[in-house]
Amino acid sequence: MSGDWTQLGVVFAVAGDRDWSRSHAQAPSAIVLGDRIRVYYGTRNSENRSRTGFFEVDRADPTRLLLDHDRPVIDLGKPGCHDEDGVIASQIIPVGHEMRMYYGGVSRGGHVPYRMSVGLATSHDGGLTFERMFEGPVVDRTPLEPYMTMAPNILIEHGRWTMWYGSGTGWVEVDGKFEPTYQIKLAHSDDGLDWQQTNHACIPRLHPLEANTRPSVLRTSDGYEMWFCYRSSRDYRDGAGSYRIGHATSSDGRDWVRQPDPTGLQPTGSGWNSVTMAYPSVVEADGRRIMFHNGDGFGQTGVGCAVQETRS
């Protein structure tokens, strides 16, 4: 049986001494590679534009940093493209001899601050560098999803690809500023390139102003488990409405039951994650689950780690 989560604290934070990485290690995305775990993250330059870097930790001791890669794995998109202002990895998947990176592409807005969509890039050097498969997004706005898409998480089962992702549900004006709302939805594909968006909402909202996103899904003997983050649209920048990490279960991957928030993953009340827990990415290794996540400041304070023993 799975038990409580144990937080291990910050395992990585950017030094801020690189032109492409002045602040933030946002939205970690973990993949197990042999005896180490590589974690991709979004980091910002002085213009607040995001690129993707990565670090590696010891699989047996994820608090032990092994590598801080010194360059971005992909650059910003062309002017006018969906990712001209940000490329933030969300999941890396080995496919044959290549690695695919599904990422959030960011473009600055006008009336609203920004919009996001899901892009795809591939690597043929083990994930050190990636090239876009397309200049445009693979999951984007549709007639039924008119706002934005982000934070994809994918499982491949019996040749069928399933994506859970954040889908914009609107913008609400709070204290004179537009704030986005979103909800985790579902898409399917036969090849990981051409996606059919179902517009099916997976995680029921606790209230109309909730935003839930950044799913991390694992297959289990009973079905599926998902960790995600959710917040209010009011006072969520390290305030009373800040992100928390949620948990849901499903027998089929489509319809989900929201569970109580996981024990052990609450903000600590002091330090790097005093009021916020956000952007979970969960992997399994050696009889335990390992979660990389952010705390306060949407990644300004670094990437933390938590573990959950799964051996009975």
Side-chain angles (χ1 to χ4, degrees):
M1 297 293 292
S2 300
D4 296 347
W5 288 86
T6 301
Q7 296 186 41
L8 303 182
V10 177
V11 298
F12 177 81
V14 301
D17 56 355
R18 298 165 180 164
D19 289 343
W20 59 279
S21 178
R22 294 298 188 190
S23 70
H24 292 75
Q26 185 171 4
S29 177
I31 179 172
V32 178
L33 298 174
D35 62 355
R36 57 188 59 204
I37 302 173
R38 181 178 294 172
V39 182
Y40 292 85
Y41 62 91
T43 186
R44 306 183 191 183
N45 67 6
S46 58
E47 297 177 333
N48 212 36
R49 303 170 86 192
S50 296
R51 291 169 173 83
T52 290
F54 73 81
F55 64 90
E56 293 179 350
V57 296
D58 188 340
R59 170 176 171 162
D61 178 8
T63 66
R64 180 173 171 243
L65 182 67
L66 301 177
L67 174 67
D68 175 8
H69 194 59
D70 63 355
R71 63 199 66 186
V73 300
I74 190 172
D75 208 344
L76 299 173
K78 293 178 180 178
C81 284
H82 78 112
D83 52 0
E84 65 174 331
D85 294 309
V87 181
I88 304 174
S90 191
Q91 190 175 18
I92 287 77
I93 303 176
V95 180
H97 297 294
E98 68 180 22
M99 296 176 74
R100 291 188 184 179
M101 179 175 75
Y102 291 83
Y103 65 88
V106 184
S107 57
R108 291 173 178 167
H111 195 55
V112 297
Y114 64 91
R115 63 170 295 233
M116 296 189 70
S117 49
V118 176
L120 173 59
T122 60
S123 173
H124 297 279
D125 60 7
L128 301 179
T129 61
F130 288 83
E131 295 183 0
R132 288 168 178 79
M133 290 194 72
F134 313 101
E135 298 293 344
V138 294
V139 173
D140 197 6
R141 298 186 291 190
T142 71
L144 298 179
E145 296 179 65
Y147 295 101
M148 57 183 171
T149 58
M150 71 204 81
N153 185 249
I154 297 164
L155 288 183
I156 307 170
E157 298 181 287
H158 310 295
R160 191 187 198 203
W161 297 58
T162 302
M163 177 189 291
W164 299 267
Y165 63 96
S167 176
T169 55
W171 291 82
V172 295
E173 190 170 358
V174 178
D175 298 329
K177 182 178 180 178
F178 281 105
E179 303 287 6
T181 58
Y182 26 79
Q183 196 167 12
I184 295 167
K185 294 190 178 180
L186 184 69
H188 296 291
S189 175
D190 293 326
D191 57 9
L193 306 178
D194 181 25
W195 291 91
Q196 293 77 52
Q197 294 165 239
T198 66
N199 194 37
H200 175 72
C202 294
I203 304 300
R205 292 190 286 194
L206 299 177
H207 55 82
L209 291 182
E210 180 185 281
N212 60 65
T213 187
R214 192 56 197 280
S216 186
V217 179
L218 292 180
R219 190 72 163 93
T220 70
S221 58
D222 298 325
Y224 303 84
E225 285 191 72
M226 178 192 294
W227 295 265
F228 60 95
C229 60
Y230 67 97
R231 60 162 176 80
S232 175
S233 297
R234 300 183 184 277
D235 194 24
Y236 68 87
R237 293 176 176 84
D238 295 337
S242 294
Y243 274 117
R244 299 291 186 269
I245 292 177
H247 183 222
T249 56
S250 173
S251 61
D252 59 8
R254 180 183 186 276
D255 297 309
W256 293 80
V257 177
R258 193 163 180 165
Q259 303 293 339
D261 289 354
T263 303
L265 293 180
Q266 287 71 36
T268 58
S270 63
W272 80 284
N273 62 341
S274 61
V275 293
T276 300
M277 291 283 283
Y279 310 132
S281 175
V282 181
V283 295
E284 292 183 300
D286 309 318
R288 61 181 178 169
R289 291 165 173 164
I290 305 172
M291 175 186 291
F292 296 89
H293 61 87
N294 287 133
D296 298 350
F298 309 99
Q300 281 184 301
T301 57
V303 174
C305 182
V307 295
Q308 180 192 52
E309 301 296 329
T310 58
R311 287 179 177 151
S312 56

